[in-house]
Each structure stands twice: as structure tokens, then as C-alpha cells.
Amino acid sequence: MISRPRIAWAAITVTLAILLATVAISADTGLWKLVLIALALGLPGALSATLHPRNAVGWLLLAVALAFASLGLASQWLDAGHESSWATLAVDRVGAIVVPLTVLALLLVPDGRLPSPRWRPVAVAVVCAQLAVIVAWTLVRGSPASPNPIGVLPADWAGAVDTIGSWVLQGPLLLAIAAVVFRLRRPADRTNLAALLWGVAGFALLAVGGHVFWPAAADALDTLGATLLGAGITVTLLRVPEPIGIDWSNVDTPELSPREREVLELVAEGLTNREIAERLFISPVTARNHVSRILTKLSLENRTQAATWLSQRGSRSPDSLAS
């Protein structure tokens, strides 16, 4: 079986190959900004997917970088005078897949978890709605001048799908940004997100400032901004410990409730009672009581033993657990 690190680096290699092909098609020097921005997302994603493969944010960033690069290649192919209904389809419709991937990444950054379990129904509904719009967009027939090779839905649906899609795709970006702001209420998340926020602020300041106040140096400032963004994303993802990711179906702990299992995973990650309370939106006293009950039920003496107990079962195969 191919290892996850190899998959991650294969993905970034394919992304880089697509970007180089895009630059080769067009003589536009501004395309190097496309290369740098895609790599600013893809390289941190590859590092995170290699070192923390259970953190979905790294894989999502890889997917965004790959989609972003593919969209750029299709766009430049058309700009170079080549006619391709598939390239047109990618640019006009399928390229929108970048939006739900970005929304998911923002909802899950930095540790691959939603801000709280209460966000799960909203996140699932939003992403499913966005994917439904993209599928509808992809299947609507094109015009005679720009036919859709896989179009099966009536062409007169295009206007309604465009109107709905504008709201469904763009609106949830505010929800994703709200999730990041929501995390900033927690001291631990505020510390973890500091590098990312500085990277985003540096990128925005340099990109906007360069184009508005110093156009002659805009390309250089865009390059520097993309570098800062990539560095901020990298530091943020690598400083967050990987989620334990226990498959509880293989662990014989019928005496623990679902909430206690969730608390036990956070104990194994090294969180204090206060941090557990912030993560689960419960009081520190409730978190302490959960930990006490867990230790009693498992006949353990302290949090270190609880973390060891869970890590041993998380690293064992289902066959060994059954024995």
C-alpha cells in the first residue's frame, strides 16, 4: 500500500508540474504569482499531511493547491487560443470546487476539528449545498457557442443556478471566517493561530499596498506576501499536535459514555481541564468531573496513565485488541 507521505508529495509534485506547464504555455510573467500562491498552500499542506496525516487541513490545502493549479492551466490554455470544451467547463464551472475546499479548511484549521460539535450540522449542510450547486453547474447544458460536453440539464436553468450559486458559494466564506474568529476566544487556539493570522495579514498588506501605493514593485511584494502566507500556514499546522483519531469500535470500553471518550482523547492530547472545557463548551468543574469518572472507571491513577492507556489501544491493531 502507498504510504500517506508518498501520496502527499506525489500530489505536490503533480501540482508543481501543472504550474510549470501553465507558465510554459504563456509568456505572462505575472503567472509566477500563481505558482507562488499555489505553493504557499500546497507545500504546507504536504508537510502537514506527512507529519500529521490525521489532520484533514493539510490534505484540504493540497486539494486546493491542485485545483487552483489545474484551473490556472485550463485558463491559460484557452487564453493561448486553443479551443477546448473541457477546459471551458473547468474554468467556468468545475473550478468552483476551490470554494467548498477552502471553507472546509477554514472551519477545521488548525487541528482538523470543528470549533465544537455544535458546528457539525451546519458544516455538513453548507458543504453539501455547495457541492450540489457545483454538480448542477457542471451538468447544465452550455450555449451553442460554448457547449458543455457533459451537460444534461436544460440550458435555461443556468440563470437560476448562477443566482443561487453566488449566494451558496460565497456566503459560507463568512461562516468559515466566523469559525476562525470564534476560535480566537480560546487562549490555546489563539496561540496556535497567531502565525497564520500574521501570515494572512502580511500577505493582504503587501498585496493590496503594492498594487495601490507601489505598482512598480507589486510583483515583488506579491511574492514576499505569498512567502509570508506559506510560512504562517506551515508554522500553524506543524505546531498543533496531531489528533489521536481513535477508532472506538475497536476499543472495548463500554463503560465510557460518548462524552467521556471525547474527554479522554483530549486528555491524551495533553489538554488541561480548562482547555478541555473551552474545547467542549463545558465548565472546568464539569471537565474535572469527567476526568475523575474516567480514571475511576478505567482503574487508573492519573492523567498520564490515561493518556498511555489510550495511546496503547490506539496503536494496536483490531486483531490484537480482540485477543
Side-chain angles (χ1 to χ4, degrees):
M1 180 181 291
I2 301 176
S3 64
R4 289 180 181 179
R6 289 185 178 180
I7 295 175
W9 289 104
I12 197 63
T13 301
V14 171
T15 300
L16 182 58
I18 293 174
L19 290 170
L20 293 177
T22 303
V23 174
I25 290 174
S26 174
D28 184 3
T29 56
L31 285 175
W32 285 105
K33 292 185 290 186
L34 170 70
V35 175
L36 289 170
I37 292 173
L39 291 180
L41 299 173
L43 286 175
L47 287 171
S48 176
T50 299
L51 300 176
H52 298 159
R54 293 193 184 96
N55 189 338
V57 177
W59 297 102
L60 287 168
L61 289 178
L62 273 175
V64 170
L66 184 57
F68 193 71
S70 301
L71 187 61
L73 177 60
S75 177
Q76 289 304 311
W77 181 262
L78 294 173
D79 290 346
H82 302 286
E83 293 187 4
S84 171
S85 58
W86 290 99
T88 302
L89 177 66
V91 171
D92 292 345
R93 306 181 187 189
V94 182
I97 192 65
V98 170
V99 178
L101 292 174
T102 303
V103 168
L104 264 179
L106 288 172
L107 286 172
L108 298 175
V109 73
D111 56 3
R113 300 174 184 270
L114 291 170
S116 89
R118 299 174 185 175
W119 286 68
R120 187 174 295 115
V122 177
V124 171
V126 163
V127 173
C128 286
Q130 290 182 324
L131 293 177
V133 166
I134 294 172
V135 170
W137 247 338
T138 304
L139 296 178
V140 170
R141 292 191 182 97
S143 64
S146 180
N148 180 357
I150 59 174
V152 295
L153 299 178
D156 55 8
W157 286 22
V161 173
D162 286 345
T163 302
I164 296 172
S166 297
W167 288 97
V168 173
L169 288 177
Q170 305 303 327
L173 287 171
L174 297 176
L175 174 68
I177 294 172
V180 175
V181 174
F182 188 81
R183 290 181 187 273
L184 295 178
R185 299 168 52 197
R186 307 170 181 161
D189 282 343
R190 196 156 53 238
T191 300
N192 290 332
L193 289 170
L196 173 61
L197 295 177
W198 279 111
V200 171
F203 175 72
L205 181 63
L206 291 171
V208 174
H211 287 275
V212 173
F213 300 109
W214 196 3
D219 286 345
L221 293 177
D222 284 345
T223 300
L224 179 58
T227 303
L228 290 177
L229 177 63
I233 295 172
T234 302
V235 171
T236 296
L237 293 181
L238 296 187
R239 74 183 301 172
V240 176
E242 184 179 15
I244 298 297
I246 295 296
D247 182 3
W248 287 100
S249 64
N250 294 323
V251 181
D252 185 17
T253 56
E255 65 274 19
L256 294 183
S257 67
R259 173 63 89 184
E260 288 169 345
R261 293 179 178 184
E262 195 171 12
V263 170
L264 179 55
E265 288 192 21
L266 297 179
V267 169
E269 290 182 21
L271 273 64
T272 64
N273 288 341
R274 181 172 294 278
E275 291 169 338
I276 292 172
E278 292 174 351
R279 177 75 64 85
L280 300 180
F281 295 93
I282 58 178
S283 70
V285 173
T286 303
R288 183 191 63 194
N289 292 338
H290 279 310
V291 173
S292 297
R293 282 195 295 270
I294 290 168
L295 296 177
T296 300
K297 289 181 178 181
L298 300 181
S299 300
L300 301 173
E301 295 181 359
N302 52 50
R303 303 167 77 95
T304 301
Q305 289 184 0
T308 302
W309 184 94
L310 188 59
S311 64
Q312 288 175 343
R313 282 150 181 78
S315 63
R316 292 163 65 186
S317 65
D319 291 339
S320 64
L321 287 167
S323 61

